[in-house]
Amino acid sequence: MSQALQILVVEDNPADADFIRELLPETGPASFQIESVARLADAVIRLKGEGHDLVLLDLGLPDSQGLQTLRHLHQAAPDVPVIVLTGTDDNELGVAALQEGAQDYLVKGQINRNLMVRSIRYALERQKILDALRQARAAAEAALATVKTLTGLLPICAGCKKIRDDKGYWSQVESYVQKHSEATFTHSLCPDCVKKYYPELDES
């Protein structure tokens, strides 16, 4: 982490916010730029801009409490990883936060610099993996959406072999298939047609 990471601390206790700031150095191989807000509404405003790499979130804020705080934050910035900060008796809440999409949780009073930096690093890596999975899924869904398949009954002329589309127009088989699938055509002659139209070639 050679480039300074932009961390948004959402914590209404000034002492806890200052403690986090002291844990995360502004210089060095792992450096951080810290911005701190005390209310969820302020955090949402900050996250509407670009640049934040991660959020350290206290779930108990003046304008929001519990897991609803995390949900609102995710709605505002679904691609920004979140580490939840809990009280010493809130381990169950921390686990529930993981189930709601938080990348990790840390218990206040048990945090040191190594633990904080490691948690941030792991959260960022997990978020990268999730982003890659979401992109792969979106690409797969887009590919499936563009695949055109022919299904159902196709009215075809018994004489000229043209196909009638759903608007009542008749078109050549190859035109219809190309329009409704990813297939392309090359032209050749089957053995029967060679005998019929070019008997001299068949004899040779």
Side-chain angles (χ1 to χ4, degrees):
M1 293 188 293
S2 58
Q3 184 178 357
L5 293 172
Q6 308 295 316
I7 306 296
L8 179 63
V9 179
V10 188
E11 171 61 72
D12 64 323
N13 186 323
D16 288 338
D18 289 341
F19 176 68
I20 292 172
R21 192 181 298 273
E22 293 174 0
L23 288 179
L24 300 177
E26 295 182 0
T27 59
S31 56
F32 306 85
Q33 290 187 3
I34 308 298
E35 181 181 7
S36 179
V37 295
R39 301 174 66 87
L40 177 63
D42 294 331
V44 169
I45 292 173
R46 298 294 192 279
L47 290 170
K48 286 182 178 179
E50 297 182 356
H52 290 98
D53 296 300
L54 182 137
V55 176
L56 294 171
L57 176 66
D58 181 10
L59 296 180
L61 300 172
D63 57 342
S64 183
Q65 293 289 318
L67 294 176
Q68 196 65 26
T69 307
L70 176 62
R71 297 187 187 110
H72 283 311
L73 196 73
H74 267 317
Q75 291 175 359
D79 297 327
V80 179
V82 177
I83 296 175
V84 165
L85 305 175
T86 72
T88 55
D89 297 326
D90 289 339
N91 281 288
E92 292 185 2
L93 183 60
V95 173
L98 296 180
Q99 297 170 345
E100 290 285 342
Q103 291 299 336
D104 201 356
Y105 76 96
L106 296 173
V107 179
K108 295 180 181 180
Q110 300 178 13
I111 303 173
N112 56 46
R113 175 173 296 180
N114 290 336
L115 178 61
M116 176 70 80
V117 172
R118 183 176 62 194
S119 179
I120 290 174
R121 181 182 293 113
Y122 289 171
L124 292 171
E125 290 302 319
R126 282 192 291 269
Q127 187 67 38
K128 287 180 181 179
I129 294 172
L130 288 176
D131 291 343
L133 290 173
R134 277 196 290 263
Q135 291 174 5
R137 180 177 179 179
E141 290 176 348
L144 289 174
T146 60
V147 172
K148 299 177 180 179
T149 58
L150 300 177
T151 59
L153 297 175
L154 294 178
I156 186 168
C157 175
C160 67
K161 306 303 181 183
K162 288 183 179 179
I163 291 177
R164 189 182 69 196
D165 63 20
D166 54 0
K167 295 182 180 179
Y169 296 105
W170 293 88
S171 59
Q172 297 291 337
V173 171
E174 57 266 35
S175 298
Y176 185 90
V177 173
Q178 283 181 319
K179 183 178 179 182
H180 293 79
S181 74
E182 301 299 320
T184 57
F185 282 84
T186 60
H187 291 84
S188 184
L189 289 172
C190 70
D192 291 339
C193 287
V194 170
K195 292 179 181 179
K196 180 178 180 180
Y197 297 107
Y198 302 97
E200 70 279 7
L201 296 178
D202 180 58
E203 292 174 356
S204 62

